[in-house]
Each structure stands twice: as C-alpha cells, then as structure tokens.
Amino acid sequence: MSSPFARLIVPALLPIVLILAWWYTSEGGSSIFFPPLSQIQERFQELWLFALVPEHVVPSLQSILWGLWISIVLGVGLGVLLGLNGYVATAVNPVLQFLRYLPAVALLPLAIQLIGIGQEMRVTIIVLGALWPILLNTIDGVRGISPGLIDVARSNRLRNFDWIFRVVIPSASPQIFAGIRASLAVSVILMFASELLGASRGIGYFILEAQRQFSLPEMWSGMILLGIIGYALNVVLMAIEYFALAWHRKARI
Amino acid sequence: MVAVLLVIWQITASVGQLGAVPTPVEVARALLAIFASGAVWEPLGTTLAGWAISLVLAVVVGIVVGFPLGTSRLAYRLSVFTLDFLRTIPALVLVPLVVLLYGSGLESTILLAFLGAVWAVIMQTIYGARDVDPTALQTFMSFRVRRWDTVKFLLVPTALPYIATGVRLAAAICVLVTISAQVVIPAGGLGEQILTAQLGGAVPSMYAYIFLCGALGVGANAAFGKLEGRALAWHPSHRKVSA
Amino acid sequence: MQATKTPVLEAVNISKSYGEKQVLADVSFSAGEGEFVCIVGPSGTGKTTLLRTLSALGTANSGEVRVNGMAITRPPAEVSVVFQDYSRSLMPWMRVGKNIELPLRRYKLSPAERTTRVTEALRDVGLEHAKDLYPWEMSGGMQQRVAIARSLAYRPQVLIMDEPFASVDAQTRADLEDLMLDIRARLGVTIVLVTHDIEEAVYLGDKVIVLSGRPASVSATVDVPLGRTRDQISTKSRPDYLELRAKIHAMIMQSPSSVSG
Ligand SMILES: Nc1ncnc2c1ncn2[C@@H]1O[C@H](COP(=O)(O)OP(=O)(O)O)[C@@H](O)[C@H]1O
Ligand SMILES: [Mg+2]
C-alpha cells in the first residue's frame, strides 16, 4: 500500500470523482442555485485569472496577512512576557479564556461602531480573533520550557536577548506554530465576515454582491476562490512550519 | 486580576478616555435589564437551540462517517486529502448560498454550524479508530471474537477519548459558527441582538449581549472539556488534537 | 596537594533543606587551582543539590560558596556547569557550533575571535568536524562532548560536572574520563565532578570527597596519590588504587544511614 500509487493517486481519486460528479449532475440541472460547474469554471477564469485580482483578492489578502502578522507579533510578544511571569499568566487566564471563546464575529458590530468600516476595522477584527490562539499557545509553550534549559541558560549567564530569542521562543515554537495555524483559520473567517458587514472591495464583498444580484455562477466562483485561497494559505504555512520545525520533527525520531 | 481589569476599565471609561465605550457598571446594568425585562430569553433560546441541534447532528454524522473511514485503510487513503481540503473551508463562506436556499432562520444557522463542526468529529473519530492496538486486534481475531464484540470491547473504548475531544471541539465550533452566522446573516438569536443593539445605539446592551456570547463559548468549552476529561480518565491513551 | 593559595572554589558549611527535609548538613570542602575533585555518594544523598548550590543555581539555607575567596550569589563567570542530562542541555534547534557560541554572545568578541573559540573548544573535545551537525544527529557521548566544549569555550576556571557520564556506555565513558584528565592537564582548569561511581571517582580525582548520611555531610576527604597521568588499565590495576577504592567503598557502606537507591 505504500507504493507511490497508493500515496499520491489514491488520495486524488475521491476529489476527481467528486468534481466529475458535480460537473455532470450540474450540467443538465434545473436548480438556479447550483449552476453548471462548466459555467462556474468559465466565470472563474474570466474573473479570477486575473482580471479582478487587484480589486478584490489583494485587499482581502492584505487584511489577512496584516491581521495575522500583528497577531503573531503581539501574541508571541505578550505570550513570552506572560509565560515567563507565571503568576501574572495565571491571574489573567480567565480573561484570556473568555476572549478566546468569545466568537470574534460578535465583536464586528462593536468594531464597526468604534472604528468604522475601513481596512483598519477589518485588520482589527482579525487581530481580535486571531490573537488568542497564538497568545495562549505561546504562554503554554513558554511555561513548558524544560527546567534543564533554564539551568543551562542561567549557569551560562545568557543575555536576556539571547535567552528569549535563542532559547525561549525556539523552544516554544512548536506550540506557537500550532497557534498560528488555528489563527490562520480564524483570520480567513473574519476577513470574510468583516467584508460581508462592511466593505466595498474584497472577496467577501464580491460574493455578497453576486448573491444580491442573483448572479449565481459569479457567487460560486467567488466561494471556490475563497476555498482555494484558504487552503493555499494553509499549505504555505505548513511548508514554513515544515522547514522551521525540522529540528523538532527529527530530534524526536 | 479580573477585578483589577474591571476597575481599570471602569475608571478609564468613566473619565471618558475610551470614547464611546460604556463603563462596566453600565454594561452590568444593561445585562440585568435584559434579563429583568425578559428580552433575553427568546434570542438566548434561539441561539441555544441552533447550537444544540447542530452539535447533535455534527456528532452523529461525524461518528457515522468517521468510523468506517478510520477502520479501513483504503477508505482512509481515499478520503484523507478531500477531508483535509474540506475542513479548511470556513463554513461561513457558505452564508450567501445558504441564505438563498433556506432564508435567514434557524435552519440556516444549524446547517452552517453543522458544516463547520462535523469535520472535527470525523477527524477525531478517524484518529480514534486508527489508534486501535494492532496486537490487541490480532488477539481478538485469533480468539475469533465476534465482530460486534470487537467493536464493543476494542474499537469503541479506544476511540472514545478521541471522540470526546472531537465533541468538545465541535461544541466550541458550533457556538462560534451559530453566533457568527446570526450576526452576519442576520438570523435571530444573540448574534442578531448585538447587531440590533449597535444599530439602535443601545451600546451598553450591545456589550451585554457580547458578554453573553463569550460566556456561552466559555461554558460550552468548559462543560465538554469536563466530559472529555472523564473519557480520558478511564482510558489513559494519548490523544491527537487536530484543531 | 596545593593548599597554600586561596582555593578557586570553596564550600563553607553548606546546609540545605527542602521544606522539612534536610538534605545537606554543614558540607565544606575546597578545590585548588587545577585540582580534580570528585564527590561521591549514593543516589539521593544530595550531590545534585550541592552542585546547584556551588554554581549558584540553587540557594543554600546557610553557609556560603566562595570563588577565588569571594562569596557568590549568582552564577559566576568563572564557573561552568556540565549537566547530567546532555540531551536536555543542548538546544536541538541549533547546530553544534551555535550551541557552543551561545554563551559567548554576551562577551564583546569579534566574529573571528568567536569562531576561533568555537573551533578551539571543539578541538579540545576531539570534535573538530562536528560544528555543523545538530545535537540529535550525534551519539550520547558526542553530545556530552559538545556540552563540555560549550563550557570550555568561555574559558572558566572551574568546571562543575554532575554525573556527566552516567548515561553513556562503558567504552564511551572511559574515553570521556580520559578526555577530562587530558583537558585538566592541558588547560589547567579546576574540575569538580560528582559521581556515584567510586571507581570513577578514584580514577579521576586528586581528591575524593565522600558524602554520606541523611542529611548528607562530608564523611571523609581522601587524597589520591596516584599522580596526574593515569591510564584505564595500568592505573586501575595498581594495588594502591584498589586499596583506595576498597577503603572508600567501606566508608560508604559503613555510614549509618546510607540507603542506596
Ligand atoms: N526540588 C526538590 N524539592 C524537594 N526535594 C528535593 C528536591 N530536589 C531534590 N530533593 C530531594 O533531596 C534529596 C537529594 O537529591 P539530589 O540532590 O538530587 O541527590 P543526588 O543528586 O545525590 O542523587 C533527595 O532525597 C531528593 O528527593
Ligand atoms: Mg543527582
């Protein structure tokens, strides 16, 4: 079973079958909600390769990447601070748990009220959702640092800078990456939701407009694009993680 | 610490440093008011109903789909990539379509939350079913234990802790998607109340509803975390958490 | 052997309790420049506790540790520690060279000087070519050599080692023991090595400090007049070596409350 055939072809079979099934069942279908896949594909090529990319894809990606980046910087920074000060971390834990399980979309009306409906609002709302998984995972990772490494660092009198950037953060990086992965998913959702409620550009806005105008092939092409973008971002992140954490994977074998 | 933060919030807000943000006392008053007037019950009920129904659906379907995929290697290989792709698609993406199909009622939020949460249960069930100890399985087979007994005494006990993790994740996802969908569609429940309060300028009650949403999220996670803890307690196997 | 000068490292009446339980009672000893001091005692006597105090990683309830005559309260630059658990004392995300360089970063050294130090330290432990390996690509013995190199790279006066060879195989252990003798001879560092292995203590030490009792105190300080050059085979078959070994063994066995385990 571990032949290249099994490893590559078998997993690809089901998607192919599903797409073909979609293609043929939708072809003669009568439901206006499920337009023929061929039509969606045509529309997809017209719109997204690459006519509307600057107008709608770029702003959406910008929101996600800015939001995620700010979340990483804040989350890792605060996480290290709190993780190294265990008492403070324990004290603020209830607040952090609350914020983590508060659906960030629920904060959208609030963000709109306070900031308006610009790009800053969308980045802010993404940070408000994506920060917590990174922050909490960083705290966990930092608190889980092995006492042996703490002794090594102290007896070698490492500078604080080296201690944090060369020992603490790398040691917590497996958890940090797990947090970033969760945050990426949250970011995509919040980008979309915030564009539904307040935007004049972006993939979410495009999908909503298409829906309002009952242009179903356009709407579907947008949804598929969003699915692909979400998956692609995930793959990119996993690739980064794969290289950054090579030591972690190999050190365990 | 929570108290300290609240006090800081109270002071800065009442001095007017936070712009349009109300003080915690005002928010608490609004919270009391929506309970006292009974205005909270209907949206809370809608949200809880949407959450519970979608969770039950996700768990049942997730287990029913996950088990066969986990016990057969071929089925696992066939589906792993597809599952991986599908579960990265946020359920909320389907909002525009679901609204066209089912309108802005309970069905829509249930469908969306179900679609958001079912993957977690499927994946955890697969992990659980795949974790069955091959030696134990061979032992069972060499003693020619009946198929059903193998399922009952080997498969289910092994998979249960994983499924419990899946249920906890699903419970959290269902809260998240239900409330999110209620905000963006808007589709009733606590989510829509946040939006309504904002549009109506009732800022303290907006905060009160947001607070309730957070409490719901924390509560669901804590309750199902306990359940998970129990499932893990009598089965000291390591688990894989996927989300 | 060289008692006249101020000892490099000196423990004065160290007592330490964990809560109600007293582990060390009035432990005193000293190590002169270039001296190889071995501390023996059965597992659980408090050897690690003593070493943590010596390196100021832990604090004593009373007594003090002096380095070149000065009482210390924080890990001093003159002292470096090699830990027992090498797999957890090297950073798995850094190559060997970076691991060794890490403690050097606080000193104002030119990059060239830093590289030289790393190269020299690796040569001192016989791992010239391992600079670009990751710790987890190496055997346990090699990892412990890297840990030793990391300690040597910033040129401490005293090397403190906590059962450094407890988790490597016998052959590697013998090699590492000879490496330590060689390092002491070439670099003149003072070495304080803790072990539960009497044979190892007598083979390596100029002086063996026997720790026993509950709470532990120094039950004897035994000079080892075997000279500075030693050899795994000839030294270990010398009658005076065997005699010392038996004597220390008897001391530990006799001590009233030594329950080894
Ligand atoms: N952090 C600690 N808290 C409480 N007791 C400890 C701690 N560290 C060590 N001990 C106890 O002190 C005694 C000596 O431990 P240790 O110094 O590790 O001995 P050794 O290194 O000689 O094996 C043991 O009985 C151990 O259980
Ligand atoms: Mg010890």
Side-chain angles (χ1 to χ4, degrees):
Chain A
M1 268 306 274
S2 48
S3 64
F5 173 78
R7 296 240 304 272
L8 290 170
I9 314 283
V10 172
L13 280 178
L14 187 59
I16 293 171
V17 170
L18 288 177
I19 291 170
L20 286 179
W22 184 2
W23 188 280
Y24 287 108
T25 52
S26 65
E27 206 51 49
S30 54
S31 167
I32 53 155
F33 299 118
F34 296 94
L37 188 52
S38 54
Q39 207 179 329
I40 299 173
Q41 183 233 328
E42 259 167 44
R43 224 24 69 78
F44 190 95
Q45 283 186 336
E46 282 168 33
L47 299 175
W48 305 120
L49 303 176
F50 293 85
L52 292 183
V53 167
E55 190 181 344
H56 292 301
V57 179
V58 170
S60 295
L61 279 179
Q62 272 174 344
S63 303
I64 292 183
L65 295 180
W66 271 112
L68 197 59
W69 176 241
I70 295 173
S71 302
I72 292 172
V73 173
L74 278 180
V76 173
L78 287 173
V80 168
L81 228 62
L82 290 173
L84 291 177
N85 296 284
Y87 292 114
V88 186
T90 312
V92 295
N93 191 47
V95 181
L96 295 183
Q97 293 296 337
F98 178 82
L99 290 168
R100 169 205 218 160
Y101 288 111
L102 172 69
V105 177
L107 295 173
L108 258 175
L110 173 65
I112 292 172
Q113 184 221 341
L114 292 178
I115 314 178
I117 54 168
Q119 177 98 358
E120 308 83 40
M121 180 278 282
R122 291 191 289 281
V123 173
T124 308
I125 201 76
I126 290 175
V127 173
L128 284 176
L131 177 61
W132 318 114
I134 300 178
L135 177 60
L136 287 158
N137 273 40
T138 306
I139 293 176
D140 268 5
V142 171
R143 296 186 83 171
I145 187 169
S146 106
L149 289 186
I150 299 177
D151 281 349
V152 169
R154 284 187 49 208
S155 79
N156 285 307
R157 302 175 311 124
L158 296 194
R159 285 184 306 183
N160 282 335
F161 182 88
D162 294 332
W163 162 235
I164 287 173
F165 286 94
R166 286 172 193 259
V167 182
V168 173
I169 291 178
S171 152
S173 58
Q175 273 104 320
I176 295 176
F177 267 105
I180 296 176
R181 243 184 294 136
S183 293
L184 173 63
V186 174
S187 304
V188 175
I189 295 173
L190 288 171
M191 175 273 284
F192 181 73
S194 64
E195 287 181 355
L196 289 184
L197 285 195
S200 52
R201 289 165 107 205
I203 306 172
Y205 168 79
F206 172 88
I207 294 173
L208 187 68
E209 275 308 294
Q211 182 233 32
R212 285 189 182 141
Q213 290 161 16
F214 247 71
S215 327
L216 279 132
E218 277 85 350
M219 186 185 91
W220 273 100
S221 77
M223 285 169 27
I224 290 172
L225 176 71
L226 195 54
I228 293 173
I229 287 179
Y231 189 74
L233 286 172
N234 213 37
V235 169
V236 170
L237 184 60
M238 303 255 271
I240 296 174
E241 182 175 340
Y242 184 86
F243 288 108
L245 296 185
W247 63 268
H248 187 245
R249 203 170 53 248
K250 292 181 188 156
R252 285 154 151 251
I253 296 167
Chain B
M1 191 67 203
V2 181
V4 173
L5 288 179
L6 281 176
V7 170
I8 295 174
W9 176 10
Q10 173 74 36
I11 292 168
T12 43
S14 51
V15 175
Q17 285 301 306
L18 294 177
V21 175
T23 66
V25 171
E26 287 172 322
V27 174
R29 232 182 259 142
L31 196 60
L32 278 179
I34 56 175
F35 273 98
S37 70
V40 74
W41 300 118
E42 203 239 290
L44 183 62
T46 309
T47 298
L48 282 177
W51 170 72
I53 297 171
S54 58
L55 177 60
V56 170
L57 284 175
V59 169
V60 171
V61 173
I63 292 175
V64 169
V65 173
F67 245 112
L69 293 182
T71 43
S72 148
R73 266 170 66 149
L74 181 65
Y76 175 73
R77 296 241 161 129
L78 271 172
S79 58
V80 65
F81 173 77
T82 313
L83 287 173
D84 225 38
F85 181 77
L86 290 176
R87 75 191 172 127
T88 54
I89 299 178
L92 282 189
V93 169
L94 297 172
V95 160
L97 178 68
V98 170
V99 169
L100 287 181
L101 292 171
Y102 300 100
S104 56
L106 196 57
E107 295 107 309
S108 288
T109 68
I110 290 173
L111 181 62
L112 289 166
F114 163 78
L115 287 174
V118 71
W119 312 109
V121 185
I122 294 180
M123 294 315 289
Q124 288 298 127
T125 310
I126 291 178
Y127 291 145
R130 282 171 68 82
D131 191 44
V132 169
D133 182 357
T135 323
L137 192 61
Q138 272 163 20
T139 315
F140 269 63
M141 276 170 20
S142 72
F143 281 107
R144 313 226 266 123
V145 177
R146 280 178 310 169
R147 230 184 132 76
W148 176 239
D149 282 347
T150 308
V151 170
K152 203 160 85 183
F153 295 114
L154 186 61
L155 223 51
V156 171
T158 310
L160 207 61
Y162 290 89
I163 295 176
T165 302
V167 174
R168 176 179 58 83
L169 295 172
I173 297 171
C174 283
V175 173
L176 196 90
V177 180
T178 303
I179 291 174
S180 302
Q182 288 174 344
V183 175
V184 294
I185 290 178
L190 296 175
E192 183 169 351
Q193 289 305 313
I194 299 173
L195 202 62
T196 318
Q198 184 235 337
L199 294 175
V203 178
S205 30
M206 172 172 77
Y207 279 81
Y209 281 112
I210 291 176
F211 175 81
L212 277 181
C213 291
L216 213 60
V218 174
N221 201 65
F224 284 90
K226 276 232 175 75
L227 205 77
E228 182 190 8
R230 228 183 272 168
L232 284 170
W234 66 269
H235 188 293
S237 108
H238 31 263
R239 62 208 159 121
K240 288 191 201 100
V241 180
S242 65
Chain C
M1 288 179 99
Q2 49 243 103
T4 45
K5 281 199 287 177
T6 319
V8 179
L9 180 74
E10 202 177 358
V12 187
N13 299 329
I14 306 277
S15 298
K16 168 80 182 176
S17 309
Y18 290 113
E20 290 291 281
K21 180 170 151 194
Q22 192 177 4
V23 179
L24 299 174
D26 265 344
V27 175
S28 302
F29 76 94
S30 65
E33 197 178 328
E35 201 175 11
F36 205 135
V37 177
C38 291
I39 302 176
V40 274
S43 297
T45 6
K47 302 183 299 293
T48 297
T49 306
L50 177 60
L51 280 203
R52 290 181 62 84
T53 312
L54 290 178
S55 53
L57 288 172
T59 51
N61 297 88
S62 64
E64 65 181 25
V65 177
R66 296 184 199 141
V67 173
N68 297 322
M70 307 270 275
I72 58 163
T73 51
R74 308 207 234 150
E78 294 80 6
V79 176
S80 187
V81 186
V82 174
F83 297 90
Q84 172 175 358
D85 194 353
Y86 49 81
S87 63
R88 262 182 255 164
S89 87
L90 297 174
M91 319 290 157
W93 50 87
M94 287 178 177
R95 292 175 196 276
V96 163
K98 292 285 174 196
N99 260 290
I100 297 174
E101 200 192 294
L102 188 61
L104 294 177
R105 294 175 56 86
R106 78 194 311 273
Y107 301 100
K108 287 196 178 61
L109 299 174
S110 69
E113 168 79 334
R114 230 184 249 167
T115 317
T116 318
R117 291 263 195 123
V118 171
T119 317
E120 275 173 14
L122 277 169
R123 207 173 45 223
D124 285 336
V125 299
L127 285 179
E128 291 87 343
H129 305 297
K131 193 172 164 221
D132 292 324
L133 292 177
Y134 280 100
W136 35 268
E137 293 173 319
M138 315 175 99
S139 68
M142 285 167 83
Q143 290 183 39
Q144 194 58 296
R145 279 172 195 258
V146 174
I148 294 165
R150 179 175 61 191
S151 283
L152 293 176
Y154 65 93
R155 300 180 181 160
Q157 270 180 290
V158 188
L159 210 55
I160 291 184
M161 311 178 84
D162 188 2
E163 308 204 32
F165 315 133
S167 34
V168 295
D169 62 86
Q171 180 56 48
T172 311
R173 180 178 187 137
D175 291 346
L176 287 168
E177 286 169 1
D178 291 336
L179 174 73
M180 292 324 297
L181 286 171
D182 179 48
I183 283 173
R184 190 272 305 264
R186 276 189 296 125
L187 307 179
V189 286
T190 304
I191 299 177
V192 176
L193 183 144
V194 150
T195 176
H196 62 257
D197 183 342
I198 298 163
E199 189 169 321
E200 180 171 87
V202 178
Y203 177 67
L204 290 175
D206 300 322
K207 183 158 95 183
V208 175
I209 289 160
V210 182
L211 216 55
S212 65
R214 300 264 151 115
S217 53
V218 177
S219 62
T221 302
V222 182
D223 281 324
V224 184
L226 294 171
R228 285 214 162 177
T229 12
R230 304 192 186 177
D231 178 87
Q232 290 284 355
I233 295 164
S234 62
T235 305
K236 285 188 178 173
S237 48
R238 280 169 64 162
D240 41 358
Y241 167 84
L242 295 170
E243 207 174 294
L244 271 174
R245 205 180 78 177
K247 185 174 138 195
I248 293 171
H249 201 101
M251 267 191 273
I252 289 179
M253 298 292 282
Q254 274 164 20
S255 96
S257 50
S258 85
V259 195
S260 89

